Amino acid sequence: MRNKRLFQALSVASAAALVLSGCGSSDSTSDSGLPKVEMMKELGAGEGQVNVVAWAGYVENGSTDPKVDWVTGFEKETGCKVNVKVGASSDDMVALMKTGEYDVVSASGDASLRLIYGGDVAPVNTDLVPNYADIFANLKMQPWNSVDGVAYGIPHGRGANLLAYRTDIVKPAPTSWGAVFDANSPYAGKITAYDSPIYIADAALYLMKTKPELGIKYPYALDQTQFDAAMELLKQQKPLISEYWGDYLKHVAGLKAGTTVLGTTWQVNINLAKGEGTKVEGIKPVEGATGWSDTWMISSKAKNPNCAYLWMNHIASPEANAGVAEWFGEAPSNAKSCELTADKNHCATFHASDDAYWTDVYYWNTATEKCLDGRTDVKCVPYSEWATAWSSLRNS
Amino acid sequence: MLKSISTWFHNRPRVRLAALLVAPLFWLVVAYLGALASLLVTAFYTINTFTGNVIRTFNLGNFQELFTNPSYRNVVVRTLGIALSVTIICTLLALPMAFFMAKIAKPRTQKVLVALVLTPLWASYLVKIYAWRTMLEPNSGVIDWLLGPIGIHSPGFGFAGIIIGLSYLWLPYMILPIYAGFERLPNSLLDASGDLGAKNLYTLRRVVLPILFPSIVAGSMFTFSLSLGDYITATIIGGKLQMLGNVVYQNYSLNLPFAATMSMVPIAIMGIYLWAVRRTGALTSL
């Protein structure tokens, strides 16, 4: 009798849950179609606040370091209070933007297309963003921030994923990504890799340069054979790895302690590790590198669109853009930023206007079934399968 | 006023019962079972492979992936192994500790010991695990520095590291119920057993353990289930090893339905565990 009651209660509960979940929003987006989202026509008065999803270090109001602050001035000037939510990864950011609670996001290329086709972000009216004019031309209207000639965001900054090595331990200094894939590496067990499906592109990039017979033209457009080859390489690499890093602070701690001496990194990590006295350098190997070119995008459900536009204009301004670029360790997107950095060599160090440097940097992009390199005779492996394969590799 | 309300309720026993139960029932059915049910339902959905939006159509693909992909079988077995080892280690450490606290220590020392067992629970989980990170670091960590000269080396980050870290974290949850169990065990029973000629080990096996069994089961439910669901320890001191929780964490933003499917696994394991425990009758004497 008691069990029967319990069973009834359970069935009622599950039925209720079914109904509840069924009541949620239903998506009418088709698989290939671009959702129609209206573009902002003109700017109105600020709403008093703006909710931002950003990478760590992109929105600093002086609470991390009193000298690092490009938010307080903006808040005073526009009356828009900036509420920031730090996204841990591109996947995290996509999930956050889907909630509709946030107005703007600093999306990397492996998030931007998913957001655009998911109907989560709106086209950006660049006429309402005066600082857009000063952005480097080769960052505008790129495949990861525009679709069919319509801009979906304001370029933020770019950087390459470097190969970090402890100068006092790794000798001679590495020049190739082969160092992290070499099965006979003397540093086996002390190598690290980035803990995200997007790292598959790093393996693909290495194969692109070392195994031309696979015919890889672009590391984010892999057909099944090429993809399997990349996964095979990563499986071989796994025994060499001490830890995969997702949290950049854990990575810095690993470099400092010497538990990892070689592996992929960001410039900001090298700066932080050097600041703690670690002998470490980062290079762009001969094969080139993957990298990021981030874009400020506005939510299609933005509750504070005016403040969001004001923010996008502010963060693209030479002062703020220089501040972020220097704090995070990346190349600024605004050509005028270079005169405003505290370190006058910043733009030279990070190759801000050195187009040749960026020719072999492959910015993060979202792999789709339709090959991004223009091939039409094969189907490429979409990002969701990258994610499944990565999860499977990590748990094997 | 109060009196009239109470009279009103007194005359209507059914309303009284309803008023008493509405809050806990709301919590249990809507918030607790509702969340579990929506988890169960989500496990059968799928996603749009490009945008990651959840598509609400019934589909068994996630379960197929779970059962056919050997990686996930490995992670389940590994997590079970970790949870079992942690439970066994905690039991072995907690038994003598609790025995000393309950039966040998003077009343004042006893209070101090209970407080000492509880103090680690006051510190943040993350702080404790990061402390273990510095302890376990190969070559440069505290363990290698302290014990290296006598030939003991840190196991480094990985399987052993996770077991050490989790055993450390959950030990108080095992000591406290066993301590309470020993408190309930009358000294006269131990004396009687001795008087009748039983050796120490025999007394432990035939008198102490049967009485303590429910306490050990209670403690094991904490250590086992907490270990089963943990993922932060594995992230920080697990090296490249992953546990079930990591799979859920890895998938929740990319593929929510698959994360839901994975989270059914520990629920099922705990269900089987509780059922097995119930069969032994330990739950009735808790």
Side-chain angles (χ1 to χ4, degrees):
Chain A
M1 182 63 200
R2 231 173 61 197
N3 279 337
K4 200 173 161 194
R5 279 241 181 107
L6 180 68
F7 179 73
Q8 279 168 353
L10 270 173
S11 46
V12 169
S14 53
L18 260 175
V19 172
L20 281 176
S21 53
C23 286
S25 65
S26 57
D27 253 325
S28 54
T29 318
S30 69
D31 215 322
S32 57
L34 190 64
K36 267 203 170 4
V37 181
E38 284 299 308
M39 188 193 282
M40 186 106 148
K41 293 287 186 299
E42 56 189 46
L43 223 51
E47 293 87 353
Q49 63 163 356
V50 57
N51 298 313
V52 181
V53 174
W55 290 104
Y58 274 18
V59 183
E60 292 289 333
N61 61 5
S63 54
T64 314
D65 181 337
K67 292 194 288 289
V68 180
D69 182 359
W70 50 86
V71 171
T72 314
F74 168 77
E75 288 179 333
K76 281 201 187 118
E77 200 179 300
T78 61
C80 300
K81 191 180 173 326
V82 179
N83 308 312
V84 62
K85 166 82 187 163
V86 170
S89 65
S90 288
D91 302 330
D92 200 20
M93 289 183 171
V94 173
L96 286 171
M97 288 311 285
K98 281 191 193 305
T99 65
E101 299 289 315
Y102 300 92
D103 302 308
V104 278
V105 58
S106 65
S108 292
D110 55 334
S112 54
L113 284 184
R114 273 187 272 166
L115 290 169
I116 294 172
Y117 282 94
D120 301 309
V121 291
V124 170
N125 187 344
T126 51
D127 295 342
L128 301 180
V129 184
N131 286 321
Y132 188 69
D134 299 325
I135 305 278
F136 286 113
N138 59 357
L139 288 175
K140 291 180 184 172
M141 301 308 261
Q142 293 299 312
W144 58 89
N145 60 24
S146 68
V147 172
D148 300 336
V150 179
Y152 273 82
I154 309 297
H156 168 83
R158 54 184 165 173
N161 296 315
L162 304 175
L163 175 59
Y165 66 100
R166 282 279 298 261
T167 49
D168 51 341
I169 298 170
V170 181
K171 285 170 186 167
T175 56
S176 153
W177 285 114
V180 300
F181 293 116
D182 176 11
N184 304 314
S185 168
Y187 311 106
K190 293 191 168 181
I191 291 173
T192 190
Y194 184 52
D195 191 4
S196 161
I198 206 71
Y199 186 69
I200 296 170
D202 287 61
L205 172 70
Y206 178 67
L207 291 175
M208 177 168 129
K209 296 293 163 75
T210 52
K211 287 213 173 137
E213 65 272 21
L214 282 167
I216 300 175
K217 295 275 176 291
Y218 181 59
Y220 306 96
L222 307 173
D223 63 36
Q224 196 65 48
T225 326
Q226 296 164 342
F227 184 79
D228 291 344
M231 285 312 296
E232 195 49 47
L233 184 63
L234 292 171
K235 271 179 204 146
Q236 281 170 26
Q237 186 200 29
K238 199 177 175 191
L240 309 175
I241 300 278
S242 63
E243 284 184 290
Y244 292 89
W245 68 273
D247 173 359
Y248 71 108
L249 290 174
K250 194 177 96 170
H251 174 51
V252 172
L255 280 175
K256 193 182 163 196
T259 47
T260 62
V261 298
L262 192 63
T264 185
T265 195
W266 299 335
Q267 184 67 44
V268 64
N269 299 336
I270 294 182
N271 297 351
L272 285 170
K274 274 186 177 168
E276 295 183 27
T278 311
K279 293 193 176 76
V280 62
E281 279 302 335
I283 53 152
K284 189 181 77 169
V286 290
E287 292 89 2
T290 57
W292 71 90
S293 176
D294 292 350
T295 309
W296 285 99
M297 307 182 112
I298 182 166
S299 168
S300 54
K301 296 155 230 147
K303 294 187 185 75
N304 311 297
N306 294 311
C307 272
Y309 265 88
L310 290 171
W311 170 257
M312 287 199 292
N313 187 47
H314 171 72
I315 198 71
S317 69
E319 298 81 18
N321 195 240
V324 184
E326 218 167 3
W327 174 247
F328 190 80
E330 61 185 354
S333 59
N334 191 314
K336 290 186 180 160
S337 301
C338 293
E339 295 154 23
L340 295 170
T341 51
D343 171 7
K344 290 297 161 207
N345 288 324
H346 182 84
C347 280
T349 316
F350 288 92
H351 311 274
S353 52
D354 177 4
D355 287 350
Y357 179 84
W358 300 104
T359 48
D360 60 355
V361 173
Y362 297 87
Y363 305 118
W364 283 345
N365 207 337
T366 315
T368 56
E369 218 163 72
K370 189 180 147 211
C371 294
L372 295 170
D373 59 359
R375 280 182 294 172
T376 48
D377 52 335
V378 283
K379 267 191 178 176
C380 277
V381 179
Y383 186 73
S384 64
E385 282 177 38
W386 287 40
T388 319
W390 183 256
S391 166
S392 169
L393 170 84
R394 290 285 281 108
N395 291 301
S396 61
Chain B
M1 176 66 182
L2 255 180
K3 203 166 177 201
S4 64
I5 293 176
S6 99
T7 324
W8 190 84
F9 270 116
H10 183 76
N11 294 330
R12 293 164 182 80
R14 282 184 162 270
V15 180
R16 195 173 60 201
L17 188 68
L20 182 70
L21 289 182
V22 66
L25 268 185
F26 176 82
W27 176 254
L28 192 69
V29 173
V30 177
Y32 190 77
L33 290 179
L36 272 182
S38 73
L39 193 71
L40 181 66
V41 170
T42 310
F44 293 98
Y45 288 155
T46 178
I47 56 160
N48 177 312
T49 53
F50 180 37
T51 60
N53 290 340
V54 174
I55 299 172
R56 295 171 207 278
T57 48
F58 182 83
N59 165 306
L60 283 174
N62 293 326
F63 287 92
Q64 197 186 351
E65 173 78 10
L66 170 63
F67 287 114
T68 52
N69 189 326
S71 309
Y72 298 122
R73 206 160 46 231
N74 287 347
V75 82
V76 169
V77 171
R78 183 186 309 141
T79 308
L80 266 177
I82 289 172
L84 273 177
S85 317
V86 168
T87 303
I88 292 169
I89 290 175
C90 282
T91 314
L92 291 180
L93 290 177
L95 274 173
M97 179 72 193
F99 180 73
F100 182 82
M101 282 164 65
K103 295 292 173 202
I104 300 175
K106 297 198 185 76
R108 247 188 63 205
T109 339
Q110 202 174 27
K111 288 199 187 87
V112 175
L113 283 174
V114 172
L116 280 178
V117 168
L118 287 175
T119 35
L121 297 178
W122 291 38
S124 157
Y125 174 114
L126 280 177
V127 172
K128 288 186 280 187
I129 284 304
Y130 269 108
W132 271 103
R133 197 179 155 91
T134 45
M135 299 269 283
L136 288 170
E137 254 163 28
N139 304 323
S140 52
V142 178
I143 293 182
D144 274 0
W145 167 74
L146 205 63
L147 302 177
I150 55 167
I152 299 176
H153 291 285
S154 157
F157 305 135
F159 196 73
I162 297 178
I163 292 178
I164 294 174
L166 288 177
S167 302
Y168 168 81
L169 282 179
W170 312 140
L171 186 61
Y173 295 98
M174 186 58 107
I175 292 182
L176 288 179
I178 296 186
Y179 167 71
F182 271 122
E183 288 269 84
R184 279 200 306 243
L185 172 74
N187 286 338
S188 54
L189 279 184
L190 301 178
D191 294 338
S193 174
D195 289 346
L196 292 170
K199 297 254 167 50
N200 284 344
L201 273 181
Y202 193 79
T203 309
L204 180 73
R205 196 156 58 82
R206 296 299 299 271
V207 179
V208 178
L209 281 183
I211 294 181
L212 278 185
F213 185 67
S215 310
I216 297 176
V217 167
S220 77
M221 281 194 297
F222 287 120
T223 55
F224 190 76
S225 66
L226 289 172
S227 308
L228 210 54
D230 193 87
Y231 71 99
I232 301 172
T233 300
T235 317
I236 297 172
I237 55 174
K240 57 191 165 181
L241 271 197
Q242 297 216 122
M243 293 175 67
L244 266 174
N246 299 92
V247 185
V248 175
Y249 178 72
Q250 214 168 36
N251 281 288
Y252 91 100
S253 56
L254 278 173
N255 189 342
L256 189 68
F258 186 67
T261 311
M262 283 311 287
S263 60
M264 299 314 289
V265 176
I267 294 177
I269 293 175
M270 272 324 278
I272 296 170
Y273 184 69
L274 285 177
W275 176 78
V277 165
R278 211 185 82 126
R279 291 282 300 239
T280 66
L283 290 180
T284 49
S285 49
L286 260 184

